[in-house]
Amino acid sequence: MKVNFNNRDPVYVQVVRYFKQQIATNMLEPGQEIPSRRELASELKINPNTVQRAYKEMEEAGLIYTERNLPSKITKDEKMLHSVREELIIEAVDSFVASVHSIQVPFEEVVAILKEKYEEVSDENKRGESND
Amino acid sequence: MKVNFNNRDPVYVQVVRYFKQQIATNMLEPGQEIPSRRELASELKINPNTVQRAYKEMEEAGLIYTERNLPSKITKDEKMLHSVREELIIEAVDSFVASVHSIQVPFEEVVAILKEKYEEVSDENKRGESND
DNA sequence: TCGCGTGTATTAATTGGTTAATACACAATG
DNA sequence: CATTGTGTATTAACCAATTAATACACGCGA
């Protein structure tokens, strides 16, 4: 479990995003146990409350659940899990479309640039990825 | 001159973004005079220093220039003006690709979703746009 | 029953960015 | 030459979000 922190976004947001990505790519399975607050905090060298905040948000969103005082687990609700990926995509698309729309970029131009960039990142992965 | 402020981003950032969009869509022309710090501040009901900060960033970026103590003007450097649009697009694309790549969305799926959303916003504009 | 590792709650501290207040310098204009 | 409107610089205040410190509650197992 390794999160590449940046300095821009709040740590707890980045932790949530990390779990969402893990869920969206099926790296975390339904019912799977995740590290305890203190354990993850220790591992990532951050404050336990920061993890707690991340976990709390995830629990309120229905991504994880907690039974008694046991480490939380990934939800077993398949629909919920599936929607995580959907929502991540929708968020990204909405933000992106708003940006390019405000400067009136035609759809075809967008797709063309997108394709280029897509091939770039694919190439990078074929070699030895190391990004933020 | 009207900026739709949101509560998320700093005001001066939104002011800069507004000018960049205006430049990218050719609403502001090379050499064109822009409102003085105090004037724009008054118009937008914000502090003159907030405008100053926005203008300062734009001047450092080469988007505007200031002669003596006259109101600043849009740069006449056509290459610079053209690159504004390019950079806005590149920023949007980079951020977008990073997002969808982290959850491994295939290119074709991205384009499909994008197309849908694009048609949505186009339709909205045909009617009576009113967004933040 | 005691201790340990869970999750949880409350409150405080920090801190950085943002905005505001104020003053200064300059040039044009009447 | 004084006033007014520019841009500029410096400093302070503010404020909200984030993080940290601390204590509490619960259940399990030695």
Side-chain angles (χ1 to χ4, degrees):
Chain A
M1 193 143 301
K2 177 81 189 309
V3 182
N4 289 318
F5 290 117
N6 65 52
N7 305 326
R8 301 180 292 283
D9 307 314
V11 172
Y12 78 91
V13 170
Q14 298 184 56
V15 171
V16 171
R17 184 189 306 142
Y18 172 79
F19 274 95
K20 284 188 179 176
Q21 289 172 351
Q22 292 291 301
I23 289 173
T25 53
N26 298 314
M27 303 297 289
L28 290 173
E29 293 173 1
Q32 181 173 343
E33 187 174 282
I34 60 178
S36 79
R37 276 78 166 158
R38 290 174 178 83
E39 190 182 336
L40 184 58
S42 164
E43 194 176 331
L44 300 180
K45 298 188 175 43
I46 59 180
N47 191 284
N49 277 316
T50 303
V51 178
Q52 161 62 4
R53 177 150 184 192
Y55 278 23
K56 189 181 180 188
E57 294 218 347
M58 291 196 286
E59 180 138 24
E60 284 170 355
L63 266 52
I64 64 176
Y65 65 95
T66 310
E67 287 169 336
R68 295 192 303 274
N69 44 352
L70 293 173
S72 303
K73 298 176 181 172
I74 302 295
T75 181
K76 290 176 180 168
D77 182 338
E78 303 271 3
K79 269 185 192 151
M80 177 67 69
L81 292 173
H82 188 256
S83 72
V84 169
R85 181 174 186 273
E86 297 303 313
E87 280 172 19
L88 285 178
I89 295 176
I90 289 173
E91 278 173 23
V93 169
D94 282 1
S95 153
F96 179 58
V97 170
S99 293
V100 292
H101 179 252
S102 73
I103 47 176
Q104 305 174 0
V105 189
F107 181 69
E108 287 71 24
E109 187 179 354
V110 167
V111 173
I113 300 171
L114 207 52
K115 190 178 179 192
E116 267 187 54
K117 188 71 193 175
Y118 232 88
E119 284 163 359
E120 265 183 48
V121 300
S122 296
D123 290 349
E124 279 169 17
N125 293 350
K126 281 174 193 161
R127 294 196 297 277
E129 52 196 297
S130 61
N131 298 329
D132 299 347
Chain B
M1 194 144 298
K2 177 82 188 307
V3 182
N4 288 318
F5 291 117
N6 65 51
N7 306 326
R8 302 180 291 284
D9 307 314
V11 171
Y12 78 92
V13 170
Q14 298 184 56
V15 171
V16 171
R17 184 189 306 142
Y18 172 79
F19 275 94
K20 284 188 179 177
Q21 288 173 351
Q22 292 291 300
I23 289 174
T25 52
N26 298 314
M27 303 299 289
L28 289 174
E29 293 174 2
Q32 181 172 345
E33 187 173 282
I34 60 178
S36 78
R37 275 79 166 158
R38 290 175 177 84
E39 190 182 336
L40 184 58
S42 163
E43 195 176 332
L44 300 180
K45 298 188 175 40
I46 58 181
N47 191 283
N49 277 316
T50 304
V51 179
Q52 161 63 2
R53 178 151 184 192
Y55 278 24
K56 189 181 180 188
E57 293 219 347
M58 290 196 287
E59 179 138 25
E60 284 170 355
L63 265 54
I64 65 176
Y65 65 96
T66 310
E67 288 169 335
R68 296 194 303 275
N69 46 350
L70 293 173
S72 304
K73 298 176 180 172
I74 302 294
T75 181
K76 290 175 181 169
D77 183 337
E78 302 271 4
K79 268 186 192 149
M80 176 67 70
L81 292 173
H82 188 256
S83 73
V84 170
R85 181 174 187 272
E86 296 303 313
E87 280 171 20
L88 286 178
I89 296 176
I90 289 173
E91 279 173 23
V93 169
D94 282 2
S95 154
F96 178 58
V97 170
S99 292
V100 292
H101 179 252
S102 73
I103 48 177
Q104 304 173 2
V105 188
F107 181 69
E108 287 70 24
E109 187 179 354
V110 167
V111 173
I113 300 171
L114 207 52
K115 190 178 179 192
E116 267 187 56
K117 187 71 192 174
Y118 231 87
E119 285 163 1
E120 265 183 48
V121 299
S122 297
D123 290 349
E124 278 170 16
N125 293 349
K126 281 173 194 161
R127 293 197 295 279
E129 51 195 297
S130 63
N131 297 329
D132 299 347

